């Protein structure tokens, strides 16, 4: 109410001034405003000269930092804040100007700047500068507060010539921009009506006088303006529409037209549909991206372009650093509205907000070309893109390719030479040099290993310019960059030569390809033979056959050597495995020889202890198909006391204290694991072997997740804790809750908590819970000192954005590895952090910072891989398989797998159930075969 009264008062004063044809409003006394500023300065400097000197030093430091990195957003904010505090108005204006040239400013920054400028503006020329500043402000974002401030400020100049028309024009633009804003649009409509009501009051004749025809016409015209404003507002879904309708009923001396009532009811229905989305935005936390996306989808279905544009603008005002949102908005404008000024403005704001996103720059260049912007402007925008600071080498390849495509479309290839063609060729050359120098120096790679830009250049020269000689030179350069070993590169060149060259060069290229290709030489050989079969002479055919046979013979020889080396390594591994197996068998046989018979009494003394421990020891590997806690039949009998282990053989005799400690866990019978309870069970590992009372410790630790039914620690046969256990809950939800305790530090080690899954049934099951793909909002930091804590790293990282999570990488013992992952709210903050933190020194350690993109994990190999992949027609699509048929007689195969000896009535580990891999038959010569057959 106070704001409306103030606005009404301003409008009335301005309208009265216009009616009296005053050329300008009364000027404010600049000296008085200066005095007030001086008083404020004196108050702020009352803390002493020391604070003032510190502020000056800080201002100087910030200015120097910005001279090094002008794109430091936070540094700009700190400098502006400090200059505003010190009252340095000239420097403050300059700092704001520099920031606005680099970044779109937020609503708060613009309002502070505008209010400061309004205070200093007294002359007409200064008012014009404020108008220009308002025009810049409304272009950055669509903000109702800025438009309202702009309209109110324009009322102050209503007494000037053409002032009323200018004010009305600003109000109309404001309504077009934000008049549809459901929650904040009403304020603008009311301000506009208050202005027209104030003008109406000044146009009223004096009491008792009769208005002239001109005055009567002016009154009718003004009344119609106000009626029109009411009707327009009531046709738009806005909050508090009912109050506006009641105000119209009270104000109007005539009944409201049926058309207005109908539009009002329709708007009310539309408002009811919008309310859930507005309420969701009101309740959601920043940045409200999901809520805005739902609102956008709703408006897209309705199909009103003005409302779609507004909701996109509202979303971008709060999510200005989300490249995908800008991309969707620009795509909508490009395909639907197609208004040049609107489209180019949105693209410009997108690249200023997210300059690190190459896709936005490419869309901008395409939009400029689509709307026929002059060539110099497009070239200038491309140069800005090159200086935007992309975060990947491939981004520079993409932006160069987009610009080269644009230059190619400008060329008229019907002419032998032109200025545009020469510009295209020079741009190709510059692109190749730029990737080689600038990009490779920064990223240690050019981003274009396959030389796609040079390939496209060669295609342009061959197909469009008929310059095959230049294309051959380019391909020769491509092959010298490490691409000559790839068959697909040679075939790409061959296809180009085949289409635009001659047979002689095709033959020469394929002969070189046969000699150089190392990945799939069979393919190149086949293409060469096909060429000679169709076009070659007998001499050409003979030469091709000889060359391909020689080459494939060398390749097969190299593959055979590699296979032999691999087989030798595999044989060594098998021999070692056999030795280990024999050692275990001998050890087991010696233990069985030392086992007492049933009924024999054992003496408990020091000498007996080591023998007892040996007797209890088990092989570390379990039989295939057995889970934790499942034992062979023999061991199960032992655990239940067949050999007196569940009760001492001599209860009256004294027990050795060390024996008590070792047998305290052995007395507990082992419980078979019930796989039907896997869903309510978690597997806990990487615990300390020295943990005392693990069952009590873990029951207490997991008690916060839900009711624990059972904790089953796993102990060795000596009675020592093996560092892992099973925790079974009453409910499945408790088990899911327990998974959140994964990597919790327990006695100095990270505790691993994973679902209880039988990997024999689910061999592809993976427990690793972190992403192994590119995450642009997450950083990978290496080179950290081992003493760096999570809190210290957070202090370093939070200066560049909001840190959501930090994970220090440790080994299984919980010791740091000097690596960390830092997750930011969005990729904008992450990219800024890379630019500022890479190469930073932390505790005398220089750290490396990059976007998180873990390399693909290679599968383990038994030996060194062959330098040549095996031909598919020989080994199949997956290489040589284990199930290929053997040419050895089955009788001989059975001799290579002797039947295992039976112990205690059980056959030990048959090939189908043994955890050891089956032994392959030894290679035998013809003489060996003959001897074996003669023995039979």
């Amino acid at each position: 109410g106070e704001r409306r009264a103030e606005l009404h008062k301003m409008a009335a004063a301005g309208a009265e001034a216009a009616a009296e044809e005053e050329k300008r409003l009364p000027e404010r006394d600049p000296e008085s405003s200066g005095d007030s500023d001086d008083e404020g300065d004196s108050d702020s400097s009352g803390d002493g000269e020391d604070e003032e000197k510190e502020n000056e030093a800080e201002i100087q430091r910030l200015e120097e930092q910005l001279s090094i990195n002008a794109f430091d957003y936070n540094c700009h904010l700190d400098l502006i804040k400090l200059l505003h505090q010190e009252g340095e108005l000239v420097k403050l204006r300059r700092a704001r100007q520099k920031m606005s040239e680099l970044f779109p400013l937020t609503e708060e920054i613009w309002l502070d700047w505008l209010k400061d400028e309004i205070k200093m503006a007294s002359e007409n020329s200064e008012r014009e500068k404020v108008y220009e500043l308002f025009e810049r402000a409304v272009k950055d974002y669509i903000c109702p507060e800025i438009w309202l401030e702009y309209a109110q400020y324009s009322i102050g100049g209503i007494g000037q010539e053409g002032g009323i028309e200018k004010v009305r024009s600003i109000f109309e633009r404001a309504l077009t921009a934000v008049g549809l804003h459901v929650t904040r649009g009403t304020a603008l409509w009311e301000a506009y009506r208050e202005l027209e009501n104030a003008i109406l009051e000044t146009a009223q004749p004096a009491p008792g006088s009769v208005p002239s025809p001109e005055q009567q016409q002016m009154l009718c015209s003004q009344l119609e303006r106000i009626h029109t404003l009411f009707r327009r507002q009531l046709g738009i879904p806005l909050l508090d529409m009912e109050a506006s309708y009641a105000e119209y009923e009270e104000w109007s001396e005539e009944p409201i037209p049926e058309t207005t009532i109908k539009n009002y009811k329709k708007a009310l229905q539309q408002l009811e549909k919008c309310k859930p989305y507005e309420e969701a935005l009101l309740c959601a936390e920043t940045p409200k991206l999901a809520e805005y996306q739902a609102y956008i989808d709703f408006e897209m279905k309705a199909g009103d372009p003005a409302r779609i544009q507004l909701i996109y603008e509202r979303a971008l005002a709060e999510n200005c650093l989300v490249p995908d949102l800008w991309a969707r908005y620009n795509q909508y404008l490009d395909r639907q509205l197609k208004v040049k000024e609107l489209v180019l403005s949105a693209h410009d704001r997108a690249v200023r907000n997210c300059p690190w996103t190459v896709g936005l720059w490419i869309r901008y260049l395409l939009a400029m070309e689509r709307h026929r912007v002059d060539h110099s402007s497009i070239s200038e925008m491309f140069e800005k893109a090159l200086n935007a600071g992309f975060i990947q080498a491939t981004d520079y390849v993409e932006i160069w390719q987009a610009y080269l495509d644009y230059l190619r479309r400008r060329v008229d290839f019907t002419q032998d030479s032109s200025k545009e063609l020469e510009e295209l060729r020079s741009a190709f050359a510059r692109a190749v040099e730029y990737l080689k120098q600038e990009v490779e120096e920064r990223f240690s790679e050019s981003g274009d290993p396959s030389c796609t830009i040079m390939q496209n250049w060669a295609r342009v020269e061959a197909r469009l310019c008929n310059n095959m000689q230049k294309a051959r030179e380019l391909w020769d350069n491509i092959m010298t960059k490490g691409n000559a070993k790839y068959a697909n590169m040679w075939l790409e060149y061959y296809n180009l030569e085949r289409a635009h060259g001659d047979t002689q060069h095709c033959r020469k290229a394929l002969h070189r390809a046969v000699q150089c290709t190392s990945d799939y030489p069979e393919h190149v050989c086949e293409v060469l033979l096909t060429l000679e079969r169709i076009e070659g002479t007998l001499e050409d055919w003979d030469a091709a056959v000889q060359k391909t046979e020689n080459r494939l013979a060398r390749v097969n020889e190299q593959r055979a050597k590699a296979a032999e080396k691999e087989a030798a390594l595999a044989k060594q591994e098998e021999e070692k495995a056999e030795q280990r197996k024999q050692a275990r068998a001998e050890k087991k046989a010696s233990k069985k020889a030392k086992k007492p018979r049933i009924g024999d009494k054992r003496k408990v003394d020091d000498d007996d202890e080591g023998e007892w421990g040996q007797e209890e020891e088990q092989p570390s590997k379990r039989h295939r198909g057995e889970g934790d806690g499942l034992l062979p039949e023999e061991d199960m009998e032992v655990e239940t006391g067949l050999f007196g282990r569940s009760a001492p053989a001599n209860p009256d005799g004294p027990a050795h204290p060390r024996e008590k400690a070792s047998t305290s866990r052995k007395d507990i019978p082992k419980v078979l694991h019930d796989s039907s309870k896997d869903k309510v069970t978690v597997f806990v590992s990487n615990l300390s072997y020295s943990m005392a009372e693990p069952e009590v410790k873990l029951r207490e630790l997991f008690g916060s997740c839900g009711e624990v039914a059972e904790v089953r620690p796993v102990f060795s046969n000596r009675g020592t804790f093996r560092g892992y256990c099973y925790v079974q809950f009453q409910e499945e939800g408790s088990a899911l809750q327990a998974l959140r305790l994964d990597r919790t530090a327990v006695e100095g080690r990270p505790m691993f908590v994973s679902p209880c899954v039988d990997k024999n049934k689910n061999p592809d099951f993976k427990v690793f819970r972190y992403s192994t793909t590119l995450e642009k909002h997450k950083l990978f930091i290496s080179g950290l000192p081992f003493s760096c804590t999570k809190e210290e790293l957070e202090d370093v990282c939070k200066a560049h954005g909001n840190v959501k999570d930090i994970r220090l990488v440790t080994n299984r013992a919980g010791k740091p590895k000097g690596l960390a992952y830092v997750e930011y709210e969005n990729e904008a903050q992450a990219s800024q952090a890379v630019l500022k933190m890479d190469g930073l020194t932390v505790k005398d350690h220089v750290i490396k910072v990059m976007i998180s993109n873990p390399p693909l994990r290679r599968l383990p190999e038994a030996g060194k891989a062959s330098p040549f992949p095996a031909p598919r027609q020989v080994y199949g699509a997956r290489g040589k398989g284990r199930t290929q048929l053997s040419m050895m007689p089955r009788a001989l195969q059975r001799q290579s797998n002797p039947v295992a000896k039976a112990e205690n009535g059980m056959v030990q580990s048959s090939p189908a159930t043994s955890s050891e891999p089956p032994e392959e038959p030894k290679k035998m010569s013809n003489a060996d075969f003959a001897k074996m057959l003669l023995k039979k």
Side-chain angles (χ1 to χ4, degrees):
E2 294 177 357
R3 187 183 187 92
R4 184 183 296 183
E6 180 182 357
L7 180 62
H8 184 80
K9 185 176 180 181
M10 290 176 61
E16 185 177 356
E20 296 175 0
E21 296 183 356
E22 292 182 357
K23 292 185 178 179
R24 55 181 297 173
L25 293 174
E27 296 182 358
R28 291 186 294 176
D29 187 3
E31 296 181 0
S32 62
S33 61
D35 292 341
S36 63
D37 291 341
D38 292 340
E39 291 174 3
D41 292 342
S42 63
D43 293 338
S44 62
S45 62
D47 295 339
E49 296 182 357
D50 293 339
E51 183 181 355
E52 186 174 342
K53 290 181 180 179
E54 290 178 3
N55 289 343
E56 290 179 358
E58 181 66 12
I59 289 173
Q60 186 176 358
R61 186 191 70 80
L62 292 172
E63 289 176 343
E64 291 176 357
Q65 186 171 343
L66 286 175
S67 65
I68 298 172
N69 181 14
F71 289 91
D72 193 333
Y73 189 87
N74 293 326
C75 190
H76 281 285
L77 292 179
D78 294 340
L79 179 60
I80 290 173
K81 182 178 179 181
L82 205 55
L83 290 173
H84 190 275
Q85 180 181 339
E86 289 295 307
E88 297 283 350
L89 299 180
V90 177
K91 290 185 177 180
L92 177 61
R93 180 182 292 171
R94 190 184 307 123
R96 285 167 167 165
Q97 181 68 29
K98 288 182 178 179
M99 185 177 182
S100 67
E101 292 173 357
L102 297 173
F103 304 100
L105 304 185
T106 63
E107 181 179 356
E108 293 76 12
I109 298 176
W110 271 119
L111 288 175
D112 290 340
W113 189 0
L114 290 166
K115 289 175 182 177
D116 289 341
E117 294 293 342
I118 288 172
K119 292 178 182 177
M120 295 185 290
S122 58
E123 301 294 333
N124 287 337
S125 58
E126 294 175 346
R127 290 185 63 86
E128 289 300 323
K129 292 181 180 179
V130 176
Y131 282 130
E132 293 175 2
L133 201 60
F134 268 115
E135 289 294 332
R136 290 174 53 190
V138 297
K139 289 179 181 178
D140 274 358
Y141 300 107
I142 293 184
C143 301
E145 285 296 327
I146 294 179
W147 275 110
L148 187 59
E149 193 72 28
Y150 189 10
Q152 289 179 346
Y153 180 73
S154 67
I155 293 176
I158 201 170
Q160 300 178 2
E161 185 177 356
I164 294 180
E165 287 74 14
K166 185 174 184 178
V167 173
R168 284 173 175 161
S169 173
I170 293 173
F171 267 110
E172 287 294 336
R173 290 173 56 201
L175 292 179
T176 302
V178 294
L180 299 178
H181 199 297
V182 175
T183 58
R184 300 167 69 180
T186 304
L188 267 170
W189 287 99
E190 290 179 350
Y192 197 180
R193 287 205 315 273
E194 291 296 336
L195 171 69
E196 297 297 349
N197 276 321
I199 295 175
L200 178 63
E201 291 183 6
T202 59
Q204 294 286 351
S209 61
V210 178
S212 63
E214 292 79 7
Q215 290 178 330
Q216 189 67 31
Q217 184 179 0
M218 183 183 297
L219 286 172
C220 293
S221 175
Q222 190 62 25
L223 285 171
E224 185 58 31
R225 285 180 184 275
I226 300 174
H227 276 289
T228 302
L229 281 175
F230 267 118
R231 293 166 186 167
R232 287 169 60 190
Q233 179 183 355
L234 293 175
I236 299 172
L238 300 171
L239 289 184
D240 298 329
M241 290 185 63
E242 298 84 353
S244 301
Y245 184 80
E247 183 180 351
Y248 187 28
E249 282 185 320
E250 182 181 354
W251 180 85
S252 178
E253 297 178 354
E254 301 174 357
I256 300 177
E258 287 296 328
T259 306
T260 304
I261 296 175
K262 182 178 179 181
N263 292 337
Y264 167 70
K265 291 181 179 179
K266 185 178 179 181
L268 273 178
Q269 295 176 356
Q270 181 70 16
L271 179 63
E272 291 301 319
K273 296 179 182 178
C274 295
K275 274 185 178 180
Y277 299 98
E278 294 290 346
E279 290 171 357
L281 290 174
L282 189 63
C283 300
E285 296 181 359
T286 305
K288 312 176 184 178
L289 188 58
E291 290 76 14
Y292 272 118
Q293 187 57 54
Y295 207 164
I296 290 171
D297 294 340
F298 165 73
E299 294 293 357
M300 290 287 283
K301 291 179 181 178
D304 186 344
R307 299 192 64 82
I308 294 172
Q309 180 191 355
L310 179 62
I311 192 59
Y312 263 120
E313 291 287 352
R314 288 177 62 184
L316 288 167
E318 297 190 50
N319 298 275
C320 59
L321 301 179
V322 180
D324 291 341
L325 188 59
W326 281 107
R328 290 195 295 270
Y329 181 39
N330 290 336
Q331 180 178 341
Y332 171 76
L333 295 177
D334 287 334
R335 296 180 179 180
Q336 302 297 327
L337 296 188
K338 302 180 182 180
V339 180
K340 179 179 179 180
E341 291 76 12
L342 185 61
V343 169
L344 296 182
S345 172
H347 280 288
D348 184 69
R349 289 185 292 139
V351 297
R352 290 177 67 200
N353 276 285
C354 307
W356 64 89
T357 308
V358 67
L360 297 178
W361 287 99
I362 293 175
R363 288 176 180 272
Y364 194 5
L365 294 177
L366 290 172
M368 295 177 76
E369 180 184 3
R370 197 175 293 118
H371 291 282
R372 305 186 184 282
V373 178
D374 61 276
H375 174 61
S376 60
S377 298
I378 297 179
S379 299
E380 182 181 352
M381 191 57 59
F382 168 71
E383 295 297 333
K384 287 183 179 179
L386 286 182
N387 297 321
F390 300 131
I391 58 179
Q392 294 183 12
T394 53
D395 292 343
Y396 289 93
V397 179
E398 292 180 25
I399 192 66
W400 267 111
Q401 193 58 64
Y403 184 60
L404 292 169
D405 292 344
Y406 156 71
L407 294 178
R408 194 266 308 161
R409 288 190 287 266
R410 296 181 67 241
V411 179
D412 181 7
F413 290 100
T414 58
Q415 303 178 8
D416 293 338
S417 69
S418 62
K419 179 181 177 182
E420 290 79 8
L421 179 58
E422 294 305 318
E423 184 177 1
L424 174 62
R425 284 172 171 160
S426 63
F428 268 117
R430 183 190 167 200
V432 173
E433 189 66 21
Y434 186 91
L435 295 177
K436 180 181 178 182
Q437 299 292 336
E438 302 289 337
V439 178
E440 194 164 347
E441 180 180 351
R442 177 180 172 189
F443 296 97
S444 300
E445 59 166 327
S446 67
D448 191 15
S450 300
C451 302
T452 54
I453 287 182
M454 293 182 70
Q455 289 188 46
N456 290 333
W457 188 1
R459 294 187 189 100
V460 169
E461 294 290 352
R463 297 176 183 176
L464 302 177
C465 300
N466 297 319
N467 188 354
M468 197 61 203
Q469 183 60 35
K470 179 64 176 178
R472 293 186 184 114
E473 293 175 4
L474 290 170
W475 266 104
D476 185 66
N477 195 1
I478 291 171
M479 291 304 183
T480 59
K481 294 183 180 297
N483 293 303
K485 58 185 177 181
Y486 299 117
N488 66 317
M489 299 296 288
W490 284 106
L491 296 180
E492 185 71 30
Y493 170 50
Y494 167 76
N495 290 331
L496 185 70
E497 191 72 59
R498 189 79 171 149
H500 306 285
D502 53 59
T503 304
Q504 180 181 357
H505 283 91
C506 289
R507 181 177 291 111
K508 183 178 178 182
L510 289 177
H511 276 273
R512 286 183 60 195
V514 169
Q515 196 68 28
C516 300
T517 301
S518 61
D519 57 349
Y520 294 104
E522 296 88 357
H523 296 176
V524 178
C525 292
E526 183 180 352
V527 173
L528 175 58
L529 294 176
T530 302
L531 173 68
E532 301 300 358
R533 179 176 287 112
I534 296 174
E535 299 187 15
T537 62
L538 179 60
E539 290 78 9
D540 294 333
W541 172 260
D542 290 339
V545 169
Q546 182 180 358
K547 194 175 188 69
T548 55
E549 287 179 349
N550 292 338
R551 175 58 176 163
L552 292 179
R554 288 197 302 271
V555 169
N556 292 331
E557 182 181 353
Q558 290 175 337
R559 284 174 177 164
K561 289 181 180 179
E564 289 177 3
K565 186 178 293 186
E566 185 177 352
L569 292 173
K571 187 175 181 180
Q572 291 177 5
E573 291 295 327
E574 290 176 3
E575 291 176 354
K576 291 179 181 178
E578 181 65 24
Q579 292 174 1
R580 289 194 297 267
K581 187 176 180 180
Q582 290 178 358
R584 286 196 299 268
E586 293 174 359
K587 190 174 182 180
K588 191 170 184 178
S590 64
K591 286 193 304 180
K592 287 188 176 294
K594 295 177 183 178
K595 279 187 178 181
R597 297 181 179 178
I598 299 176
D600 290 350
K601 293 184 179 180
R602 293 193 55 92
K603 296 181 181 179
V604 183
D605 53 23
D606 290 343
D607 296 335
D608 233 10
E609 182 189 352
E611 191 175 337
W612 188 278
Q614 288 181 359
E615 182 183 345
E616 295 288 29
E617 189 173 353
Q618 274 187 305
S620 59
K621 290 192 176 182
R622 295 187 296 273
H623 293 288
R624 179 169 300 189
E626 294 172 359
D628 290 289
L630 284 105
L631 303 172
E633 181 181 341
E634 171 190 352
D635 291 339
M636 288 172 61
E637 292 178 355
V638 169
E639 290 295 328
T640 54
L642 285 178
F643 296 98
R645 298 183 187 181
S646 59
N650 186 7
D652 298 330
H656 195 278
R658 290 182 63 188
E659 181 183 342
K660 288 183 179 180
S662 65
T663 59
S664 61
R665 293 293 175 184
K666 290 185 258 184
D667 297 339
I668 303 175
K670 294 189 177 181
V671 181
L672 298 180
H673 177 69
D674 187 357
S675 60
S676 64
K677 297 182 179 180
D678 283 349
K679 291 186 178 180
V680 294
T681 307
V682 295
F683 178 67
V684 183
S685 59
N686 201 43
L687 299 170
S688 175
Y689 291 169
S690 60
M691 178 182 288
E693 299 295 335
E695 182 176 357
V696 177
K697 180 82 173 179
L698 295 175
R699 185 178 291 273
E700 178 183 353
L701 182 62
F702 286 94
S704 60
C705 303
E707 185 178 354
V708 178
E710 185 181 9
V711 177
R712 296 197 301 276
V714 180
F715 297 93
S716 68
N717 291 326
R718 296 178 181 272
T720 58
F721 182 45
R722 298 183 63 181
Y724 61 92
C725 71
Y726 294 87
V727 180
Q728 181 179 324
F729 294 90
Q730 294 289 356
E731 299 179 355
E732 183 178 349
S734 301
L736 297 176
Q737 185 75 13
L739 295 177
R740 299 184 180 180
L741 297 181
D742 184 37
R743 299 183 187 272
T744 301
V746 177
E747 296 187 0
R749 295 171 63 89
M751 174 181 67
F752 299 159
V753 185
S754 58
C756 187
V757 176
D758 186 355
K759 289 193 176 182
N760 291 322
K761 299 179 180 178
N762 299 278
D764 298 330
F765 177 76
K766 301 295 181 183
V767 180
F768 194 69
R769 63 176 182 173
Y770 300 105
S771 174
T772 57
T773 58
L774 174 65
E775 295 180 281
K776 294 186 178 181
H777 67 289
K778 186 180 292 186
L779 304 183
F780 173 69
I781 303 178
S782 59
L784 289 168
F786 291 162
S787 60
C788 182
T789 64
K790 184 175 180 180
E791 291 73 18
E792 291 173 342
L793 183 58
E794 184 176 7
D795 290 339
V796 176
C797 298
K798 68 182 182 181
H800 311 296
N802 296 326
V803 178
K804 292 181 64 177
D805 185 38
I806 292 180
R807 177 167 64 93
L808 295 176
V809 182
T810 62
N811 58 18
R812 295 181 69 88
K815 304 297 183 182
K817 299 174 70 174
L819 309 174
Y821 289 90
V822 180
E823 183 179 357
Y824 283 91
E825 278 193 349
N826 51 58
E827 59 185 81
Q829 298 176 357
S831 62
Q832 288 292 325
V834 170
L835 296 175
K836 298 171 188 175
M837 292 173 57
D838 189 30
L840 190 68
T841 302
V842 177
K843 293 184 178 181
D844 298 330
H845 285 65
V846 178
I847 63 174
K848 289 188 66 177
V849 183
M850 62 188 72
I851 297 296
S852 175
N853 189 14
L856 294 176
R857 177 172 292 183
R858 294 183 178 178
L859 295 175
E861 297 177 352
K864 186 176 180 182
S866 169
F868 301 99
R872 293 183 179 178
Q873 63 271 25
V874 177
Y875 296 123
R878 298 188 179 182
K880 185 176 181 180
R882 287 193 170 193
T883 58
Q884 286 183 347
L885 294 176
S886 174
M887 301 306 296
M888 182 181 293
R890 284 178 298 201
L892 300 184
Q893 288 184 12
R894 284 196 294 269
Q895 293 297 326
S896 64
N897 284 323
V899 179
K901 294 182 180 180
E903 295 182 293
N904 293 340
M906 293 183 62
V907 178
Q908 294 288 320
S909 60
S910 64
T913 59
S914 174
S915 61
E916 295 291 331
E919 295 184 27
E920 293 184 3
K922 296 182 180 179
K923 296 182 178 179
M924 305 177 70
S925 64
N926 292 337
D928 294 333
F929 276 106
K931 290 178 182 179
M932 188 170 294
L933 292 173
L934 288 174
K935 287 181 181 179
K936 285 183 173 288

